[in-house]
Amino acid sequence: MGVHLGNYCYVLIIVLVLGKEVRSQSLTNGYYSTSCPKAESIVRSTVESHFDSDPSISPGLLRLHFHDCFVQGCDGSVLIKGKSAEQAALANGGLRGFEVIDDAKARLESECPGVVSCADILALAARDAVDLSSGPSWRVPTGRKDGRISLASEASNLPSPLDSVAVQKQKFQAKGLDTHDLVTLLGAHTIGQTDCQFFRYRLYNFTVTGNSDPTISPSFLTQLKTLCPPNGDGSKRVALDIGSPSKFDVSFFKNLRDGNAILESDQRLWSDSETNDVVKKYASTIRGLLGFRFDKEFSQAMVKMSSIDVKTDVDGEVRKVCSKVN
């Protein structure tokens, strides 16, 4: 997901946070099994058709779901259009995947009108996007209702690629996610891209004397300087996981271990003792033999994240069109 992180990155950066009130008791597996039995298969086939023509839609959908859950909870509020809505926030620059959600919603309204919420479509689409990228699949509890409020002003506290580990922990813990969740969910950077302009400072003027970031391995620094020359196109896209850019795997964590992270905030996870323990656990994973560990724990963290402050019948609705309240 060609994608942007905040105003900072064309990237899938994880801005996930667990709201202080997690009303997950209203969510259940198979919520639509009677009211709209084909709901999940319709979302899946819609995501698949878009993925077939553009695999970069996967990180886009993941980021869209994260940004939705971070503001007002997982209630589809990020899908609402408007001059002062969340989409207008600087931190939501470059969000994409809206057309996938709109397509799925149109098909679902034809199949079972007024039943499946936009918030649930987004949660299901994020799961399918990971699965299609050779990542894990998991059961997504459903039953979210769509929120009626979407304000750009509430999207101003998203995590930044410039954050120290302490700030990252603070932002995540304030919302109920622990350090293990933080590192696990940041593993989503195994897919996605960023722009040269958002990390070029690490290559040429990281220090006052104009040197590069010493945490970048020498061979990787040479590679990055070739990709992003000092006066080159700042909007040029670079994969966050150069080793396997479109495959959901543990190579992202191996990159942190080897000094091959693109974003400063990611590389810093290696230098903090608490986050380093989690990174090392995943970096030592052998795909196939132990690869299930990251897959399993990412799935668990996603279920936790997607339960943030969900709306109920009392404070939500099922939108007819995802981009506007009823």
Side-chain angles (χ1 to χ4, degrees):
M1 136 242 295
V3 297
H4 270 80
L5 176 56
N7 138 18
Y8 306 98
C9 303
Y10 187 90
V11 57
L12 160 81
I13 227 173
I14 303 216
V15 273
L16 327 143
V17 254
L18 199 54
K20 289 173 183 173
E21 288 184 62
V22 179
R23 293 182 238 161
S24 55
Q25 70 272 18
S26 61
L27 303 181
T28 55
N29 289 321
Y31 180 84
Y32 299 109
S33 57
T34 303
S35 58
C36 191
K38 295 180 181 176
E40 295 198 23
S41 62
I42 286 174
V43 173
R44 167 72 184 208
S45 63
T46 305
V47 174
E48 205 161 347
S49 66
H50 283 268
F51 177 86
D52 287 344
S53 59
D54 178 13
S56 75
I57 200 63
S58 284
L61 288 167
L62 252 181
R63 180 175 180 255
L64 194 56
H65 181 44
F66 293 150
H67 281 229
D68 180 40
C69 293
F70 186 70
V71 184
Q72 285 279 340
C74 307
D75 67 346
S77 56
V78 76
L79 304 172
I80 296 173
K81 294 192 189 312
K83 289 181 178 178
S84 61
E86 289 172 35
Q87 288 183 34
L90 206 57
N92 280 330
L95 281 179
R96 55 189 296 251
F98 297 103
E99 72 284 357
V100 182
I101 307 304
D102 290 341
D103 285 357
K105 179 62 172 174
R107 292 180 61 188
L108 286 163
E109 285 301 298
S110 175
E111 176 76 19
C112 27
V115 174
V116 184
S117 69
C118 300
D120 275 345
I121 294 171
L122 188 47
L124 292 166
R127 183 269 312 273
D128 295 335
V130 171
D131 183 37
L132 287 165
S133 301
S134 304
S137 186
W138 59 91
R139 296 195 73 185
V140 177
T142 43
R144 297 165 190 78
K145 292 298 183 281
D146 297 322
R148 301 184 181 95
I149 298 168
S150 181
L151 297 170
S153 58
E154 295 189 359
S156 60
N157 62 337
L158 296 175
S160 155
L162 301 175
D163 286 343
S164 65
V165 175
V167 171
Q168 292 182 71
K169 287 180 182 178
Q170 183 183 5
K171 287 181 176 180
F172 281 56
Q173 288 169 356
K175 304 295 184 176
L177 286 181
D178 61 29
T179 300
H180 190 276
D181 295 326
L182 164 67
V183 178
T184 302
L185 289 166
L186 279 172
H189 288 180
T190 180
I191 52 177
Q193 299 176 314
T194 188
D195 293 355
C196 283
Q197 61 186 322
F198 300 126
F199 67 89
R200 195 159 49 190
Y201 71 94
R202 298 184 69 206
L203 313 182
Y204 303 106
N205 56 347
F206 187 76
T207 63
V208 281
T209 53
N211 293 326
S212 58
D213 184 341
T215 63
I216 305 175
S217 72
S219 59
F220 193 55
L221 178 62
T222 302
Q223 189 178 354
L224 290 180
K225 285 185 172 181
T226 302
L227 289 169
C228 300
N231 298 310
D233 180 4
S235 63
K236 181 180 178 181
R237 297 171 188 172
V238 176
L240 285 171
D241 178 0
I242 286 180
S244 55
S246 58
K247 186 177 181 183
F248 199 96
D249 57 22
V250 295
S251 61
F252 168 77
F253 299 105
K254 298 177 191 292
N255 291 340
L256 302 189
R257 176 195 64 197
D258 300 337
N260 294 343
I262 301 286
L263 300 176
E264 183 184 356
S265 57
D266 286 346
Q267 188 59 59
R268 282 174 168 172
L269 298 176
W270 183 252
S271 59
D272 174 88
S273 61
E274 193 179 6
T275 55
N276 175 275
D277 286 343
V278 187
V279 173
K280 278 198 290 197
K281 178 178 75 170
Y282 293 140
S284 63
T285 289
I286 302 166
R287 186 72 190 190
L289 180 62
L290 295 171
F292 65 86
R293 173 187 276 171
F294 173 57
D295 283 358
K296 179 186 176 190
E297 294 181 0
F298 183 82
S299 299
Q300 292 170 336
M302 282 295 290
V303 170
K304 185 176 176 183
M305 189 279 301
S306 67
S307 300
I308 295 170
D309 198 21
V310 298
K311 303 293 188 292
T312 62
D313 288 316
V314 178
D315 49 8
E317 62 187 18
V318 174
R319 276 181 229 140
K320 295 180 175 66
V321 178
C322 290
S323 58
K324 59 183 181 182
V325 298
N326 293 343

